[in-house]
């Protein structure tokens, strides 16, 4: 079955590893991709919802029967064995992803797709000593950020704007990113009228968006 562009983009970020874990796997499509493509020796799937996990267990039943995939119904990484060297956490808020990582463990490689607060996620990864190896925005009905990070990879220097907007968006801008900037600018313009008490904060955001637009639009 053809998966959504979002799922394809997430799967494209996953590298070969020893043990892969999909935390909050729901349908289990990403784990299926990893297993089908032989990208890991062992795979863990987990979800806080038993009903969601059941979907993934059905999809991966053969791998589970063979002892290649293991499922865990738990909050975050509570029951996930710590030998997972690559962990995917996608489709949750950035704050939720951070609390899962803080209460769980930090693997060699992470692929994260926060639904909001991507800047907080980038900041946390850098503070924890990760190199963010890929970090960009794409559109699939709405705008999504995907962030891949590794413990031992070449360091890319993150300034404040890269933390806010994503390194690859600034250094290798795409039309999708420029469209995102335009959409954000329009949102701020609307906020200026609907929330007059926040005008100063909105003006600051607009100024930043203008700067980033000027810096990136000429590099496209
Ligand atoms: C929107 S779905 C995303 C599913 C999949 N990761 C994706 O990106 O398509 C979010 C899933 O995360 C699960 N979830 C939410 N909070 C969680 C937590 N703290 N620990 C584990 N799973 C969680 C939900 O039950 C749901 O199945």
């Amino acid at each position: 079955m053809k998966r959504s562009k979002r799922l394809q983009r997430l799967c494209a970020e996953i590298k070969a590893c020893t043990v892969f874990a999909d935390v909050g796997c729901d349908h289990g499509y990403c784990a299926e991709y990893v297993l089908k493509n032989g990208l890991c020796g062992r795979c863990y799937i987990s979800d806080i919802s038993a009903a969601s996990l059941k979907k993934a267990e059905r999809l991966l039943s053969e791998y589970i029967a063979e002892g290649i995939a293991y499922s865990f119904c738990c909050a975050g990484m509570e029951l996930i064995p710590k030998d997972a060297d690559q962990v995917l956490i996608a489709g949750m808020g950035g704050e939720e992803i951070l609390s899962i990582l803080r209460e769980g463990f930090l693997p060699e490689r992470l692929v994260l797709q926060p639904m909001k607060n991507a800047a907080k996620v980038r900041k946390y990864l850098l503070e924890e000593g990760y190199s963010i190896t890929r970090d960009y925005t794409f559109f699939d009905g709405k705008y999504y950020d995907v962030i891949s990070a590794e413990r031992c990879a070449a360091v890319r220097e993150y300034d404040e704007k890269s933390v806010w907007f994503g390194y690859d968006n600034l250094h290798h801008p795409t039309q999708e990113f420029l469209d995102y900037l335009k959409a954000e600018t329009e949102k701020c313009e609307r906020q200026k009228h609907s929330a007059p008490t926040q005008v100063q904060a909105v003006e600051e955001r607009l100024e930043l968006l203008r700067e980033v637009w000027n810096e990136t639009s000429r590099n496209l």
Side-chain angles (χ1 to χ4, degrees):
M1 193 206 290
K2 191 163 171 2
R3 304 302 183 206
S4 68
K5 175 176 169 181
R6 183 184 68 88
L7 288 171
Q8 289 178 37
R9 293 293 178 102
L10 292 181
C11 288
E13 290 304 310
I14 300 166
K15 283 190 177 171
C17 63
T18 307
V19 184
F20 172 73
D22 185 353
V23 174
C25 64
D26 193 12
H27 37 70
Y29 294 149
C30 294
E32 183 196 38
Y33 168 87
V34 170
L35 288 161
K36 271 196 170 162
N37 287 282
L39 292 178
C40 70
R42 189 158 64 248
C43 175
Y44 301 143
I45 51 169
S46 78
D47 205 289
I48 199 166
S49 148
S52 293
L53 189 61
K54 212 71 240 113
K55 291 186 267 177
E57 284 172 344
R58 267 196 293 271
L59 184 71
L60 305 176
S61 58
E62 283 176 28
Y63 296 102
I64 292 171
E66 285 169 28
I68 301 170
Y70 298 81
S71 82
F72 304 92
C73 190
C74 63
M77 299 162 109
E78 209 172 24
L79 299 178
I80 302 274
K82 291 188 174 51
D83 61 353
D85 56 335
Q86 179 170 221
V87 174
L88 168 71
I89 313 178
M92 293 176 215
E95 299 275 14
E96 182 71 14
I97 290 176
L98 292 186
S99 87
I100 288 175
L101 292 173
R102 285 194 182 107
E103 287 162 27
F105 61 93
L106 294 173
E108 183 58 36
R109 189 162 198 278
L110 282 163
V111 178
L112 305 176
Q113 184 255 298
M115 298 298 291
K116 50 187 178 176
N117 290 317
K120 283 189 183 172
V121 173
R122 293 184 188 105
K123 194 163 175 289
Y124 173 79
L125 291 171
L126 296 168
E127 281 167 4
E128 289 297 328
Y130 281 94
S131 298
I132 300 180
T133 51
R134 186 129 165 86
D135 180 7
Y136 75 102
T137 304
F138 65 91
F139 186 77
D140 184 19
K142 54 180 147 177
Y143 291 97
Y144 295 98
D145 291 295
V146 61
I147 304 169
S148 299
E150 291 179 32
R151 282 245 172 253
C152 302
V155 172
R156 304 197 298 179
E157 283 308 325
Y158 266 69
D159 59 11
E160 208 179 328
K161 276 188 195 142
S162 298
V163 171
W164 272 111
F165 291 95
Y167 187 100
D168 291 293
N169 289 326
L170 299 188
H171 293 81
H172 314 287
T174 60
Q175 187 58 52
E176 278 171 306
F177 178 62
L178 290 183
D179 293 344
Y180 163 79
L181 291 177
K182 198 160 169 270
E184 277 295 296
T185 302
E186 286 165 4
K187 195 165 91 184
C188 285
E189 291 291 358
R190 285 194 299 276
Q191 273 173 354
K192 240 177 20 179
H193 301 292
S194 63
T197 53
Q198 291 166 22
V199 166
Q200 198 187 332
V202 175
E203 284 291 5
E204 281 166 17
R205 171 91 178 144
L206 275 169
E207 181 54 34
L208 188 59
L209 286 163
R210 267 190 291 272
E211 273 178 37
V212 172
W213 172 274
N214 289 335
E215 289 163 17
T216 51
S217 56
R218 59 171 174 254
N219 291 336
L220 190 65

